[in-house]
Amino acid sequence: KLQIFFVCLRYCCIFASEDNNNMNSKEAIARLSECGVKPSVQRIAIMHYLLTHYTHPTVDDVYRGLCGKMPTLSRTTVYNTLRLLSEHNAAQMITIDEHRVCYDGNVNAHAHFYCKQCRKVYDIFDEVSPLLSCKTVGIHSVDDVQLYYKGICCECMKEKKLPPICSSKERW
């Protein structure tokens, strides 16, 4: 256990010095520990990636983002780690459709918007929905609620020169 701790600590120091972001490395280790996930070099790196990249990355995005720094990292490791993080509520798994699953390091209740044109996923924090905090439905216990909208984002509407549907106050 001590050896793994020193490997993780050494890795975090190297990773943090490269990114000048020591706080997020500590945050990654803390998130893993709080959620009952045993820290390893790969898990810390993947959690750190989610905490510093707000793009709702897919498995391939995370792999491409880390494989240059970690040549021994495999897509299978990234896939399994992201699933593990999701199962332990250290990250959110967002299932857009059967072909696209992405991950979010922000586990606070919030909605998402998926643009069908550019395929970006946006966080929506201002959405007030009782569903996001729902713990039961009828007589059933709720473990997870995913609220997301699909449509065309404001940027893609601008590119197509379509008039905005909502006023600027209503935009996120």
Side-chain angles (χ1 to χ4, degrees):
K1 289 182 180 181
L2 192 57
Q3 185 180 7
I4 290 174
F5 175 75
F6 284 120
V7 169
C8 292
L9 186 60
R10 180 174 170 255
Y11 169 75
C12 285
C13 291
I14 293 167
F15 199 68
S17 66
E18 287 177 2
D19 288 348
N20 291 326
N21 211 341
N22 192 23
M23 189 55 142
N24 282 327
S25 293
K26 289 179 182 176
E27 190 179 341
I29 294 171
R31 173 80 62 92
L32 293 172
S33 299
E34 288 166 9
C35 294
V37 177
K38 185 177 175 183
S40 70
V41 173
Q42 292 87 357
R43 290 173 181 172
I44 294 167
I46 292 167
M47 188 75 249
H48 182 272
Y49 189 90
L50 289 179
L51 293 173
T52 57
H53 294 79
Y54 308 110
T55 57
H56 304 91
T58 63
V59 170
D60 284 336
D61 295 334
V62 174
Y63 174 74
R64 282 192 305 270
L66 294 175
C67 69
K69 294 176 184 174
M70 302 180 74
T72 58
L73 187 67
S74 70
R75 274 187 177 81
T76 302
T77 299
V78 173
Y79 174 84
N80 290 334
T81 300
L82 288 170
R83 287 280 175 169
L84 179 74
L85 296 178
S86 174
E87 289 167 3
H88 284 82
N89 297 318
Q92 261 189 40
M93 179 174 28
I94 306 164
T95 307
I96 301 299
D97 59 34
E98 64 273 4
H99 303 290
R100 183 166 166 98
V101 175
C102 52
Y103 295 85
D104 192 347
N106 185 341
V107 293
N108 296 320
H110 64 282
H112 292 94
F113 178 87
Y114 173 71
C115 179
K116 296 189 288 185
Q117 189 74 37
C118 65
R119 300 176 50 101
K120 289 182 184 173
V121 179
Y122 296 89
D123 287 317
I124 304 175
F125 295 106
D126 296 336
E127 180 67 27
V128 178
S129 173
L131 293 176
L132 290 175
S133 59
C134 184
K135 299 294 180 206
T136 60
V137 173
I139 59 171
H140 309 287
S141 174
V142 175
D143 293 330
D144 182 39
V145 175
Q146 289 190 17
L147 176 60
Y148 64 91
Y149 301 93
K150 292 182 181 181
I152 299 176
C153 71
C154 291
E155 294 302 315
C156 289
M157 288 184 1
K158 283 180 194 173
E159 284 180 20
K160 289 184 166 196
K161 297 185 173 147
L162 296 172
I165 295 171
C166 58
S167 70
S168 59
K169 278 187 173 180
E170 293 174 331
R171 290 190 195 158
W172 45 92

